[in-house]
Amino acid sequence: MKPLDGIKVIDLSRILSGPYCTMVLADFGAEVIKIESPKGDDTRGWGPPFVGEESAYFLSVNRNKKSMVINLKTEEGRSVLLDLVKEADVVVENFRPGTLKRLKIDYETLKSVNPTIILASISGYGQTGPYTHKPGYDVIAQGMGGITSVTGEPGQPPVKVGFSIADIGTGMWAIVGIQSALLARQHTGKGQWIDVSLLDTIISWQTYLAGNYFASGKNPQPQGGAHPNIVPYQLFDSSDGYFNIAVGNEGLWEKFCIALGEPILAVNPKYKTNQHRLENREELIDYLQSIFSTKPSKYWISLFEEAGLPCGPVLSFEEIFKDPHVLAREQLVELEHPRAGKVKMTGIPIKLSETPGAITSPPPILGEHTIEILRDTLHLTEGKIASLIESGAISPMKETKTYL
């Protein structure tokens, strides 16, 4: 058993935030039917790199799903979708607000055919407010939500986070909303509309940075690899590369000084407490850096680990996916894809003791399950399926790619 066994999800989303959300739902047992346009999810053509003819980007967030091609601009295609919604529990979409209404598949329409349906809408700015008309992209949300202004080195230009944190994070919030709505439905018997946005996601994560601003009235500034409230808690450069050390309390500070061979630092009035260390941050960090630059990172990490201090290397992706702990946690998995062959991807990060998730099928080929879903879910006759194909409302799997 998986926790979402029996839950059917209609996935109208594309690119990253929605597909990430539905991939996690599928990992935990939901049946996810990915509805694609005849051209397919845009990311099917995003590359290089490709694995065989398949985009590495698309492969990374679409496992455990079925692909069905429906032309939602046709009345017949819209009718097929609404028939699927009647059998579904959840619909996920990440179009710009207003698009579903133009397609005549907005929440009120979906609710009219299935009062228990849960619609999760992911957008740049949400379904309300003066910015709903604007297109939403990860890099824009990072800038408007404050992450860009506090990322990077002091005195240098602002920097975005190195991956699409707003997209992935909003997909995660959508999962939380969907699971909450499913629980609520058990009590009320009703579905509901979930509204999550990239901008809200970034702002909600500001936590202590926003708290610092509310308390002081001062805009947080970029700290590079450092922490605005704790010292030392940051990256240091050794003789052969960077490593992290996190001295999060006074007990750790004392252990740190002893391990470093500098016990006098622990009682120095300028550094005795975290408040003192914050006040004298620059002087202390310069001194510590002068020590750390004399030996390689492995030396310092080994020294601090023996002392029970939180520390760690800065790994490349090659090093990450060879790390024995990462492998033991099954964060690297391999699947056989019908066209791409063996495909590697990241694993499931949530470990459940009784009802664990599972990766059971590779990302689907465009339209791979169209006929199967029409036949087995909607119980359409061969004649009706042939009619839908002829009208252009639906498309079966093609032998060659059609999405580049």
Side-chain angles (χ1 to χ4, degrees), residues 50-72:
F50 292 93
V51 184
E53 293 187 335
E54 306 301 315
S55 158
Y57 193 120
F58 178 84
L59 293 173
S60 72
V61 288
N62 284 289
R63 66 190 179 214
N64 285 347
K65 303 177 188 179
K66 298 177 180 179
S67 172
M68 182 178 188
V69 172
I70 301 179
N71 185 349
L72 293 175

PDB file of all heavy atoms in Angstrom, residues 50-72:
ATOM      1  N   PHE A  50      20.325  15.676 -23.798  1.00  0.00           N
ATOM      2  CA  PHE A  50      19.290  14.669 -24.017  1.00  0.00           C
ATOM      3  C   PHE A  50      19.845  13.305 -23.612  1.00  0.00           C
ATOM      4  O   PHE A  50      21.052  13.076 -23.645  1.00  0.00           O
ATOM      5  CB  PHE A  50      18.876  14.629 -25.491  1.00  0.00           C
ATOM      6  CG  PHE A  50      18.152  15.867 -25.956  1.00  0.00           C
ATOM      7  CD1 PHE A  50      18.848  16.914 -26.539  1.00  0.00           C
ATOM      8  CD2 PHE A  50      16.773  15.973 -25.815  1.00  0.00           C
ATOM      9  CE1 PHE A  50      18.184  18.060 -26.960  1.00  0.00           C
ATOM     10  CE2 PHE A  50      16.106  17.116 -26.232  1.00  0.00           C
ATOM     11  CZ  PHE A  50      16.807  18.158 -26.808  1.00  0.00           C
ATOM     12  N   VAL A  51      18.939  12.430 -23.206  1.00  0.00           N
ATOM     13  CA  VAL A  51      19.297  11.025 -22.980  1.00  0.00           C
ATOM     14  C   VAL A  51      18.648  10.261 -24.119  1.00  0.00           C
ATOM     15  O   VAL A  51      17.435  10.092 -24.163  1.00  0.00           O
ATOM     16  CB  VAL A  51      18.795  10.510 -21.620  1.00  0.00           C
ATOM     17  CG1 VAL A  51      19.272   9.073 -21.398  1.00  0.00           C
ATOM     18  CG2 VAL A  51      19.262  11.419 -20.491  1.00  0.00           C
ATOM     19  N   GLY A  52      19.453   9.812 -25.085  1.00  0.00           N
ATOM     20  CA  GLY A  52      18.878   9.338 -26.330  1.00  0.00           C
ATOM     21  C   GLY A  52      18.202  10.531 -26.998  1.00  0.00           C
ATOM     22  O   GLY A  52      18.827  11.557 -27.250  1.00  0.00           O
ATOM     23  N   GLU A  53      16.911  10.415 -27.253  1.00  0.00           N
ATOM     24  CA  GLU A  53      16.155  11.524 -27.839  1.00  0.00           C
ATOM     25  C   GLU A  53      15.308  12.248 -26.805  1.00  0.00           C
ATOM     26  O   GLU A  53      14.537  13.152 -27.148  1.00  0.00           O
ATOM     27  CB  GLU A  53      15.242  10.995 -28.954  1.00  0.00           C
ATOM     28  CG  GLU A  53      15.986  10.459 -30.172  1.00  0.00           C
ATOM     29  CD  GLU A  53      15.034  10.121 -31.298  1.00  0.00           C
ATOM     30  OE1 GLU A  53      13.854   9.837 -31.017  1.00  0.00           O
ATOM     31  OE2 GLU A  53      15.473  10.140 -32.451  1.00  0.00           O
ATOM     32  N   GLU A  54      15.422  11.854 -25.532  1.00  0.00           N
ATOM     33  CA  GLU A  54      14.566  12.413 -24.493  1.00  0.00           C
ATOM     34  C   GLU A  54      15.292  13.508 -23.714  1.00  0.00           C
ATOM     35  O   GLU A  54      16.451  13.351 -23.321  1.00  0.00           O
ATOM     36  CB  GLU A  54      14.108  11.310 -23.530  1.00  0.00           C
ATOM     37  CG  GLU A  54      13.439  10.127 -24.213  1.00  0.00           C
ATOM     38  CD  GLU A  54      12.202  10.527 -25.002  1.00  0.00           C
ATOM     39  OE1 GLU A  54      11.383  11.307 -24.464  1.00  0.00           O
ATOM     40  OE2 GLU A  54      12.035  10.060 -26.147  1.00  0.00           O
ATOM     41  N   SER A  55      14.592  14.616 -23.461  1.00  0.00           N
ATOM     42  CA  SER A  55      15.170  15.730 -22.723  1.00  0.00           C
ATOM     43  C   SER A  55      15.447  15.343 -21.275  1.00  0.00           C
ATOM     44  O   SER A  55      14.575  14.837 -20.570  1.00  0.00           O
ATOM     45  CB  SER A  55      14.190  16.910 -22.752  1.00  0.00           C
ATOM     46  OG  SER A  55      14.429  17.802 -21.689  1.00  0.00           O
ATOM     47  N   ALA A  56      16.666  15.621 -20.814  1.00  0.00           N
ATOM     48  CA  ALA A  56      17.011  15.338 -19.420  1.00  0.00           C
ATOM     49  C   ALA A  56      16.127  16.144 -18.476  1.00  0.00           C
ATOM     50  O   ALA A  56      15.771  15.673 -17.386  1.00  0.00           O
ATOM     51  CB  ALA A  56      18.485  15.663 -19.173  1.00  0.00           C
ATOM     52  N   TYR A  57      15.764  17.346 -18.869  1.00  0.00           N
ATOM     53  CA  TYR A  57      14.896  18.205 -18.049  1.00  0.00           C
ATOM     54  C   TYR A  57      13.539  17.524 -17.845  1.00  0.00           C
ATOM     55  O   TYR A  57      13.069  17.381 -16.712  1.00  0.00           O
ATOM     56  CB  TYR A  57      14.723  19.557 -18.747  1.00  0.00           C
ATOM     57  CG  TYR A  57      14.127  20.654 -17.902  1.00  0.00           C
ATOM     58  CD1 TYR A  57      14.846  21.825 -17.657  1.00  0.00           C
ATOM     59  CD2 TYR A  57      12.849  20.554 -17.362  1.00  0.00           C
ATOM     60  CE1 TYR A  57      14.308  22.853 -16.882  1.00  0.00           C
ATOM     61  CE2 TYR A  57      12.295  21.580 -16.604  1.00  0.00           C
ATOM     62  CZ  TYR A  57      13.031  22.719 -16.359  1.00  0.00           C
ATOM     63  OH  TYR A  57      12.501  23.729 -15.600  1.00  0.00           O
ATOM     64  N   PHE A  58      12.911  17.090 -18.945  1.00  0.00           N
ATOM     65  CA  PHE A  58      11.600  16.445 -18.839  1.00  0.00           C
ATOM     66  C   PHE A  58      11.685  15.166 -18.011  1.00  0.00           C
ATOM     67  O   PHE A  58      10.825  14.899 -17.163  1.00  0.00           O
ATOM     68  CB  PHE A  58      11.053  16.123 -20.232  1.00  0.00           C
ATOM     69  CG  PHE A  58       9.725  15.417 -20.205  1.00  0.00           C
ATOM     70  CD1 PHE A  58       8.542  16.126 -20.093  1.00  0.00           C
ATOM     71  CD2 PHE A  58       9.653  14.031 -20.283  1.00  0.00           C
ATOM     72  CE1 PHE A  58       7.317  15.483 -20.055  1.00  0.00           C
ATOM     73  CE2 PHE A  58       8.443  13.366 -20.242  1.00  0.00           C
ATOM     74  CZ  PHE A  58       7.269  14.100 -20.129  1.00  0.00           C
ATOM     75  N   LEU A  59      12.708  14.378 -18.238  1.00  0.00           N
ATOM     76  CA  LEU A  59      12.852  13.108 -17.523  1.00  0.00           C
ATOM     77  C   LEU A  59      12.961  13.322 -16.024  1.00  0.00           C
ATOM     78  O   LEU A  59      12.547  12.462 -15.237  1.00  0.00           O
ATOM     79  CB  LEU A  59      14.087  12.362 -18.026  1.00  0.00           C
ATOM     80  CG  LEU A  59      14.052  11.850 -19.472  1.00  0.00           C
ATOM     81  CD1 LEU A  59      15.417  11.282 -19.860  1.00  0.00           C
ATOM     82  CD2 LEU A  59      12.965  10.801 -19.663  1.00  0.00           C
ATOM     83  N   SER A  60      13.481  14.472 -15.598  1.00  0.00           N
ATOM     84  CA  SER A  60      13.772  14.685 -14.180  1.00  0.00           C
ATOM     85  C   SER A  60      12.530  14.848 -13.308  1.00  0.00           C
ATOM     86  O   SER A  60      12.607  14.665 -12.096  1.00  0.00           O
ATOM     87  CB  SER A  60      14.677  15.914 -14.013  1.00  0.00           C
ATOM     88  OG  SER A  60      13.968  17.114 -14.254  1.00  0.00           O
ATOM     89  N   VAL A  61      11.369  15.191 -13.894  1.00  0.00           N
ATOM     90  CA  VAL A  61      10.197  15.490 -13.050  1.00  0.00           C
ATOM     91  C   VAL A  61       8.902  14.833 -13.548  1.00  0.00           C
ATOM     92  O   VAL A  61       7.810  15.279 -13.187  1.00  0.00           O
ATOM     93  CB  VAL A  61       9.967  17.022 -12.925  1.00  0.00           C
ATOM     94  CG1 VAL A  61      11.018  17.649 -12.044  1.00  0.00           C
ATOM     95  CG2 VAL A  61       9.912  17.700 -14.287  1.00  0.00           C
ATOM     96  N   ASN A  62       9.008  13.768 -14.337  1.00  0.00           N
ATOM     97  CA  ASN A  62       7.774  13.204 -14.901  1.00  0.00           C
ATOM     98  C   ASN A  62       7.658  11.683 -14.786  1.00  0.00           C
ATOM     99  O   ASN A  62       6.874  11.069 -15.514  1.00  0.00           O
ATOM    100  CB  ASN A  62       7.625  13.640 -16.357  1.00  0.00           C
ATOM    101  CG  ASN A  62       7.175  15.083 -16.478  1.00  0.00           C
ATOM    102  OD1 ASN A  62       6.023  15.416 -16.180  1.00  0.00           O
ATOM    103  ND2 ASN A  62       8.090  15.950 -16.879  1.00  0.00           N
ATOM    104  N   ARG A  63       8.391  11.076 -13.877  1.00  0.00           N
ATOM    105  CA  ARG A  63       8.279   9.628 -13.688  1.00  0.00           C
ATOM    106  C   ARG A  63       6.915   9.275 -13.080  1.00  0.00           C
ATOM    107  O   ARG A  63       6.192  10.125 -12.546  1.00  0.00           O
ATOM    108  CB  ARG A  63       9.399   9.135 -12.767  1.00  0.00           C
ATOM    109  CG  ARG A  63       9.280   9.662 -11.343  1.00  0.00           C
ATOM    110  CD  ARG A  63      10.510   9.351 -10.547  1.00  0.00           C
ATOM    111  NE  ARG A  63      10.417   9.870  -9.189  1.00  0.00           N
ATOM    112  CZ  ARG A  63      11.446  10.335  -8.495  1.00  0.00           C
ATOM    113  NH1 ARG A  63      12.650  10.383  -9.039  1.00  0.00           N
ATOM    114  NH2 ARG A  63      11.278  10.765  -7.264  1.00  0.00           N
ATOM    115  N   ASN A  64       6.581   7.998 -13.172  1.00  0.00           N
ATOM    116  CA  ASN A  64       5.378   7.434 -12.530  1.00  0.00           C
ATOM    117  C   ASN A  64       4.067   8.028 -13.060  1.00  0.00           C
ATOM    118  O   ASN A  64       3.046   7.944 -12.395  1.00  0.00           O
ATOM    119  CB  ASN A  64       5.420   7.615 -11.007  1.00  0.00           C
ATOM    120  CG  ASN A  64       6.390   6.660 -10.330  1.00  0.00           C
ATOM    121  OD1 ASN A  64       6.854   5.698 -10.943  1.00  0.00           O
ATOM    122  ND2 ASN A  64       6.708   6.917  -9.071  1.00  0.00           N
ATOM    123  N   LYS A  65       4.091   8.628 -14.254  1.00  0.00           N
ATOM    124  CA  LYS A  65       2.878   9.253 -14.799  1.00  0.00           C
ATOM    125  C   LYS A  65       2.461   8.572 -16.098  1.00  0.00           C
ATOM    126  O   LYS A  65       3.260   7.897 -16.753  1.00  0.00           O
ATOM    127  CB  LYS A  65       3.118  10.742 -15.073  1.00  0.00           C
ATOM    128  CG  LYS A  65       3.564  11.546 -13.872  1.00  0.00           C
ATOM    129  CD  LYS A  65       3.846  12.997 -14.253  1.00  0.00           C
ATOM    130  CE  LYS A  65       4.471  13.761 -13.112  1.00  0.00           C
ATOM    131  NZ  LYS A  65       4.771  15.167 -13.484  1.00  0.00           N
ATOM    132  N   LYS A  66       1.209   8.801 -16.476  1.00  0.00           N
ATOM    133  CA  LYS A  66       0.706   8.410 -17.787  1.00  0.00           C
ATOM    134  C   LYS A  66       0.537   9.669 -18.632  1.00  0.00           C
ATOM    135  O   LYS A  66       0.131  10.712 -18.117  1.00  0.00           O
ATOM    136  CB  LYS A  66      -0.636   7.694 -17.657  1.00  0.00           C
ATOM    137  CG  LYS A  66      -0.572   6.392 -16.864  1.00  0.00           C
ATOM    138  CD  LYS A  66      -1.948   5.780 -16.702  1.00  0.00           C
ATOM    139  CE  LYS A  66      -1.879   4.471 -15.914  1.00  0.00           C
ATOM    140  NZ  LYS A  66      -3.225   3.869 -15.716  1.00  0.00           N
ATOM    141  N   SER A  67       0.857   9.569 -19.912  1.00  0.00           N
ATOM    142  CA  SER A  67       0.706  10.720 -20.805  1.00  0.00           C
ATOM    143  C   SER A  67      -0.475  10.514 -21.739  1.00  0.00           C
ATOM    144  O   SER A  67      -0.606   9.468 -22.379  1.00  0.00           O
ATOM    145  CB  SER A  67       1.972  10.931 -21.636  1.00  0.00           C
ATOM    146  OG  SER A  67       1.754  11.922 -22.632  1.00  0.00           O
ATOM    147  N   MET A  68      -1.319  11.548 -21.783  1.00  0.00           N
ATOM    148  CA  MET A  68      -2.481  11.533 -22.681  1.00  0.00           C
ATOM    149  C   MET A  68      -2.505  12.854 -23.441  1.00  0.00           C
ATOM    150  O   MET A  68      -2.372  13.917 -22.836  1.00  0.00           O
ATOM    151  CB  MET A  68      -3.765  11.357 -21.868  1.00  0.00           C
ATOM    152  CG  MET A  68      -5.026  11.283 -22.699  1.00  0.00           C
ATOM    153  SD  MET A  68      -6.466  11.026 -21.630  1.00  0.00           S
ATOM    154  CE  MET A  68      -7.721  10.744 -22.892  1.00  0.00           C
ATOM    155  N   VAL A  69      -2.681  12.787 -24.739  1.00  0.00           N
ATOM    156  CA  VAL A  69      -2.726  14.000 -25.557  1.00  0.00           C
ATOM    157  C   VAL A  69      -4.176  14.381 -25.827  1.00  0.00           C
ATOM    158  O   VAL A  69      -4.942  13.601 -26.400  1.00  0.00           O
ATOM    159  CB  VAL A  69      -1.979  13.802 -26.888  1.00  0.00           C
ATOM    160  CG1 VAL A  69      -2.198  15.001 -27.812  1.00  0.00           C
ATOM    161  CG2 VAL A  69      -0.498  13.607 -26.628  1.00  0.00           C
ATOM    162  N   ILE A  70      -4.544  15.579 -25.380  1.00  0.00           N
ATOM    163  CA  ILE A  70      -5.878  16.125 -25.639  1.00  0.00           C
ATOM    164  C   ILE A  70      -5.714  17.543 -26.173  1.00  0.00           C
ATOM    165  O   ILE A  70      -4.968  18.345 -25.602  1.00  0.00           O
ATOM    166  CB  ILE A  70      -6.753  16.171 -24.363  1.00  0.00           C
ATOM    167  CG1 ILE A  70      -6.925  14.779 -23.764  1.00  0.00           C
ATOM    168  CG2 ILE A  70      -8.113  16.790 -24.673  1.00  0.00           C
ATOM    169  CD1 ILE A  70      -7.774  14.759 -22.487  1.00  0.00           C
ATOM    170  N   ASN A  71      -6.407  17.863 -27.223  1.00  0.00           N
ATOM    171  CA  ASN A  71      -6.447  19.229 -27.736  1.00  0.00           C
ATOM    172  C   ASN A  71      -7.597  19.948 -27.041  1.00  0.00           C
ATOM    173  O   ASN A  71      -8.758  19.812 -27.432  1.00  0.00           O
ATOM    174  CB  ASN A  71      -6.643  19.225 -29.254  1.00  0.00           C
ATOM    175  CG  ASN A  71      -6.564  20.618 -29.839  1.00  0.00           C
ATOM    176  OD1 ASN A  71      -6.562  21.614 -29.122  1.00  0.00           O
ATOM    177  ND2 ASN A  71      -6.520  20.690 -31.159  1.00  0.00           N
ATOM    178  N   LEU A  72      -7.268  20.711 -26.001  1.00  0.00           N
ATOM    179  CA  LEU A  72      -8.300  21.372 -25.198  1.00  0.00           C
ATOM    180  C   LEU A  72      -8.936  22.556 -25.907  1.00  0.00           C
ATOM    181  O   LEU A  72      -9.892  23.147 -25.389  1.00  0.00           O
ATOM    182  CB  LEU A  72      -7.698  21.829 -23.870  1.00  0.00           C
ATOM    183  CG  LEU A  72      -7.261  20.699 -22.931  1.00  0.00           C
ATOM    184  CD1 LEU A  72      -6.556  21.267 -21.702  1.00  0.00           C
ATOM    185  CD2 LEU A  72      -8.460  19.862 -22.513  1.00  0.00           C
TER     186      LEU A  72
END
